[in-house]
Amino acid sequence: MAHPTHDVVIVGGGHNGLVAAAYLAKAGRSVILLERDDHLGGAAVSADAFDGVDARLSRYSYLVSLLPKRIIDELGLDLRLARRRYSSYTPNPADASVGLLVDHGDPGATRASFDRIGAGPVGTSPVGTGTDAAAWDAFYRDTAHLAAAIFPTMTEPLPTRSEARRLLGDDSVWEQFIERPIGESIRNRFSHDLVRGVVATDGLIGTFTSTDAATLDANRCLLYHVIGNGTGDWDVPIGGIGAVSGELEKAARDAGAHLVTGAEVISVSPDGEVHYRHRGDAQERSVDSRSVVGRRVLANVAPWVLQGLLGETGPETSVSVSNGSDPNGNDPNGTDPIARPEGAQVKVNLMLTRLPRLRDASVSPEAAFGGTFHINETLSQLEVAYEEATHGTIPAVLPCEIYCHSLTDPSILSPELAASGAHTLTVFALHSPSRWLTEENNDSYRGRLQAAVLASLDSVLAEPIENVLMTDAAGRPCIETKTTLDLEHALAMPGGNIFHGPLSWPFLEDDDPQRTAAERWGVATGHPRIYVCGAGARRGGGVSGIGGHNAAMAVLEGD
Ligand SMILES: Cc1cc2nc3c(=O)[nH]c(=O)nc-3n(C[C@H](O)[C@H](O)[C@H](O)COP(=O)(O)OP(=O)(O)OC[C@H]3O[C@@H](n4cnc5c(N)ncnc54)[C@H](O)[C@@H]3O)c2cc1C
């Protein structure tokens, strides 16, 4: 093995790589981080997306739930996360003049809203929703219980399945959320199709599945959406999501980590040698090949990408393993190559001159867009859309979630824009799998998916969204649509999968190996020197820093 140049080499400068760099440099390790892009933060960045429009949009990820307070405190991050008053608004697709508004600030109004959708002529429930209001409270009491038991373990060595079950101490909740497809519980506990859908979407964000699937992919996805910081609240990062990565970058630099941008890693060897191409600045236009050697190498890239960097993509190879299995929990024997991940969403950013009017006159646009605005996301619509997508067609009615950042945090707009009543809107549409897309058809799909998103949005508005679309300096509409393939190009997220691969349970199976620090922390690969430190680590998905924290702890424990 070549002589180590650094204690730790980190491949990729997403927010998780920055968390790992900060912890390790603070602990006195020599750290170099290599990022292919010309800036840091990966999917957690803000950007001026529209020419001549002075607004810093959270370009990809936008809300924060899973970033533990412990990481914020230990790294001394100066972050403000604002709690949203409104949790969600969901118009009834069959009659968009009524909808369900869940208002944390007014439980009475929330109850009345449940009653209103139940009373409407189009309620699909034979029972009405008076019972759904109570069922809602009971369901989220259960998730709060899960959150209180599971979330504190996320920044500790992994518990086993039996230990996690004991920590929860409630067999009924464990069965419903961990052992049985979550669709069962949702159907048993709620009667209205719309209410079922609002609950189900947390199981489908970034995950192409059905809530009834025996794989339990939707259960894992739902779990990560309801346990953040012990409450499951999704907060607004003041200043945009780029403020989170900005603080992490500062913490890493202040601690002495060497952060290199324009450095694309082209290979990693099991003994810690990392080759990369370094782009000089714009004037130099030079590209040189360099290498560094780490006692440990942390991969902030997706496990599937790491597999390629290790040259282990052939079918005959046995590659990255975590806890004796694939970091994403797919491979209990730890011998199969990692499958290429699949993403399934469309992301659309818009800039509006003002908020559009709603068909539902009883709810203000400020309330509806101030929380998560669900569009065409009843449970039956979600199922139909999944079926259609599985059969290769863009869903006729595309399920979407919309949110307006600037309502809670106008600081991302220039004072002039804010004063003019302008707003940002971010859309996350489901069930659009990356399997459809190729380099050749991507432009055409982008256009069709964007049209499907706008049609879905228009179905609940009292005016076409085009009425309120701002134009940029060149007179073009301010709308930016990213397919899964666009995300892969921009972020090197394979398949545009926002979690770097399928999510895994936040616990080990009882017979999983726990011999090494990396296995105990859920960051192991098949190579003792190489750990996963990003979303692809066990418990790593989302803007959480947990993958980075846990890889750093494994390095420090294993030293
Ligand atoms: C559209 C979208 C919306 C989302 N919304 C939310 C949300 O609201 N809340 C939430 O919690 N999560 C959200 N997520 C998920 C979340 O953003 C990600 O799971 C998380 O940011 C991943 O962070 P990471 O640091 O592990 O990896 P990444 O952010 O993917 O960073 C990996 C880094 O590695 C770099 N890299 C890749 N290959 C190489 C190479 N060969 N050499 C050097 N560098 C390389 C990349 O350029 C990138 O900077 C969203 C994701 C997307 C895409």
Side-chain angles (χ1 to χ4, degrees), residues 121-352:
V122 290
T124 50
S125 158
V127 186
T129 52
T131 52
D132 276 351
W136 179 278
D137 290 342
F139 188 88
Y140 289 106
R141 265 198 304 278
D142 286 350
T143 62
H145 190 179
L146 270 168
I150 303 284
F151 198 72
T153 69
M154 302 278 280
T155 43
E156 297 291 337
L158 283 149
T160 62
R161 178 180 283 263
S162 301
E163 285 164 353
R165 187 174 183 137
R166 258 197 309 280
L167 275 174
L168 180 68
D170 185 328
D171 285 349
S172 161
V173 170
W174 183 269
E175 283 295 319
Q176 288 181 62
F177 286 85
I178 311 293
E179 304 288 351
R180 309 284 319 151
I182 193 65
E184 258 180 44
S185 175
I186 291 173
R187 275 178 234 278
N188 289 339
R189 298 179 69 160
F190 300 100
S191 55
H192 199 293
D193 196 22
L194 182 153
V195 181
R196 288 174 175 172
V198 175
V199 176
T201 51
D202 273 340
L204 302 173
I205 304 281
T207 302
F208 188 52
T209 189
S210 156
T211 52
D212 297 324
T215 57
L216 305 181
D217 285 338
N219 293 55
R220 283 184 282 275
C221 183
L222 185 128
L223 186 66
Y224 284 96
H225 279 89
V226 297
I227 60 172
N229 274 302
T231 64
D233 282 317
W234 285 85
D235 293 337
V236 180
I238 300 297
I241 201 79
V244 177
S245 294
E247 275 297 299
L248 290 169
E249 176 180 346
K250 181 168 175 302
R253 282 193 201 283
D254 288 353
H258 184 197
L259 311 178
V260 188
T261 54
E264 182 182 6
V265 172
I266 48 177
S267 72
V268 174
S269 77
D271 59 7
E273 194 158 354
V274 176
H275 287 272
Y276 64 102
R277 269 194 291 262
H278 187 250
R279 261 195 330 272
D281 62 27
Q283 279 84 15
E284 290 176 42
R285 291 180 186 284
S286 63
V287 178
D288 21 283
S289 294
R290 302 181 187 179
S291 68
V292 281
V293 180
R295 289 182 209 284
R296 291 276 185 281
V297 176
L298 303 190
N300 184 197
V301 298
W304 187 83
V305 172
L306 173 64
Q307 177 175 259
L309 294 174
L310 284 159
E312 296 180 326
T313 48
E316 73 288 355
T317 54
S318 80
V319 283
S320 299
V321 290
S322 165
N323 319 309
S325 61
D326 163 355
N328 292 311
N330 289 334
D331 171 22
N333 303 315
T335 52
D336 294 343
I338 296 168
R340 184 174 158 76
E342 177 166 50
Q345 74 290 323
V346 187
K347 168 83 184 187
V348 183
N349 286 315
L350 306 104
M351 200 64 222
L352 307 180

